[in-house]
Amino acid sequence: MKRLIYLIGFLLLLSCSGRQVSEEELLHSINTTPMLYTVQCVAQTTVIERSAPIKGLFGQRTAIIPVEANIKAGIDLSKLSKIRISGKKVYITLPDPVIEIESTRILNDEIVTSVAPLRFNFTHDELAQIARKGTDAIRSDLEKYNLVVPAQEQAEMVIASIVSRMGMEAVFENRPQYENQELFNLSSRYD
């Protein structure tokens, strides 16, 4: 009797492992994975603002403001929708990455100002406006921080792990390349 129970259990295990996984089941398994922010960097730029002298008499004002931004990038796996199963292979096209400027800060202890004697000093609001130009500069130069490819590679590793647990092999198709303007549009939050 014991042998019969072991034999039935063994046959049940064999039958379960040969079961075909549907695209919907696989997509559900991948889509329930939370947003993967896999790449992070700190970018820094310096903004130099020179005001014109007033009628040439009162001199010039200059502010040099360093700005630092924390940037993170990842792939939102809940947006994955392009998969195709063929035998034991799953062909996958990754969704667009998400790039966020998580936070920015003015490096106040490194600000340098030069104000002519007959001019008013910079106000806090003026310095903040000038610093926003630094954030804009970082945002417009996202391609130089090389965030997309590492984010795609990390997402592929996670997806390949999920797919292999289901007894299949992940094949990634058409990893998109992005120009800077496209990266600028992928930046979903802007501080």
Side-chain angles (χ1 to χ4, degrees), residues 27 30-31 76-83 92-95:
L27 265 176
I30 294 170
N31 290 156
D76 186 354
L77 296 183
S78 70
K79 304 285 188 222
L80 180 70
S81 61
K82 295 180 182 176
I83 68 166
I92 301 167
T93 301
L94 291 175

Side-chain angles (χ1 to χ4, degrees), residues 27-99:
L27 265 176
H28 178 71
S29 295
I30 294 170
N31 290 156
T32 57
T33 305
M35 174 68 185
L36 293 174
Y37 287 108
T38 55
V39 182
Q40 187 169 355
C41 76
V42 176
Q44 188 172 349
T45 190
T46 302
V47 181
I48 301 172
E49 181 80 16
R50 288 187 178 91
S51 63
I54 299 175
K55 297 183 182 178
L57 300 174
F58 295 104
Q60 186 174 18
R61 298 188 312 163
T62 303
I64 302 171
I65 304 174
V67 178
E68 186 177 88
N70 290 321
I71 305 171
K72 61 183 183 177
I75 305 288
D76 186 354
L77 296 183
S78 70
K79 304 285 188 222
L80 180 70
S81 61
K82 295 180 182 176
I83 68 166
R84 180 176 44 89
I85 296 176
S86 178
K88 288 287 188 185
K89 294 192 178 197
V90 180
Y91 296 91
I92 301 167
T93 301
L94 291 175
D96 288 336
V98 175
I99 299 173

Side-chain angles (χ1 to χ4, degrees), residues 156-176:
E156 287 175 358
M157 286 176 30
V158 170
I159 293 170
S161 172
I162 293 169
V163 169
S164 70
R165 280 191 305 224
M166 296 187 152
M168 295 182 283
E169 177 187 351
V171 178
F172 294 94
E173 299 182 307
N174 306 327
R175 185 188 286 173

Side-chain angles (χ1 to χ4, degrees), residues 1-188:
M1 185 67 172
K2 272 187 170 178
R3 286 184 185 173
L4 183 59
I5 293 173
Y6 287 133
L7 181 60
I8 291 171
F10 180 71
L11 290 174
L12 285 173
L13 282 174
L14 281 178
S15 67
C16 290
S17 64
R19 172 175 98 71
Q20 183 67 23
V21 176
S22 72
E23 288 181 6
E24 293 79 27
E25 290 175 300
L26 184 57
L27 265 176
H28 178 71
S29 295
I30 294 170
N31 290 156
T32 57
T33 305
M35 174 68 185
L36 293 174
Y37 287 108
T38 55
V39 182
Q40 187 169 355
C41 76
V42 176
Q44 188 172 349
T45 190
T46 302
V47 181
I48 301 172
E49 181 80 16
R50 288 187 178 91
S51 63
I54 299 175
K55 297 183 182 178
L57 300 174
F58 295 104
Q60 186 174 18
R61 298 188 312 163
T62 303
I64 302 171
I65 304 174
V67 178
E68 186 177 88
N70 290 321
I71 305 171
K72 61 183 183 177
I75 305 288
D76 186 354
L77 296 183
S78 70
K79 304 285 188 222
L80 180 70
S81 61
K82 295 180 182 176
I83 68 166
R84 180 176 44 89
I85 296 176
S86 178
K88 288 287 188 185
K89 294 192 178 197
V90 180
Y91 296 91
I92 301 167
T93 301
L94 291 175
D96 288 336
V98 175
I99 299 173
E100 289 187 5
I101 297 178
E102 186 177 39
S103 64
T104 58
R105 72 182 186 107
I106 301 169
L107 302 177
N108 289 314
D109 56 335
E110 297 178 28
I111 292 176
V112 176
T113 59
S114 172
V115 180
L118 298 176
R119 297 286 304 266
F120 289 106
N121 205 353
F122 289 94
T123 66
H124 182 68
D125 288 341
E126 285 177 310
L127 292 175
Q129 274 185 328
I130 295 167
R132 271 189 226 113
K133 293 178 184 177
T135 303
D136 291 340
I138 290 170
R139 195 164 183 249
S140 66
D141 286 338
L142 286 173
E143 72 181 0
K144 78 178 189 181
Y145 302 113
N146 191 27
L147 301 168
V148 172
V149 172
Q152 290 169 326
E153 290 170 350
Q154 293 294 321
E156 287 175 358
M157 286 176 30
V158 170
I159 293 170
S161 172
I162 293 169
V163 169
S164 70
R165 280 191 305 224
M166 296 187 152
M168 295 182 283
E169 177 187 351
V171 178
F172 294 94
E173 299 182 307
N174 306 327
R175 185 188 286 173
Q177 302 290 320
Y178 299 92
E179 299 297 321
N180 194 58
Q181 186 57 40
E182 293 169 313
L183 290 177
F184 184 83
N185 294 333
L186 295 173
S187 180
S188 64

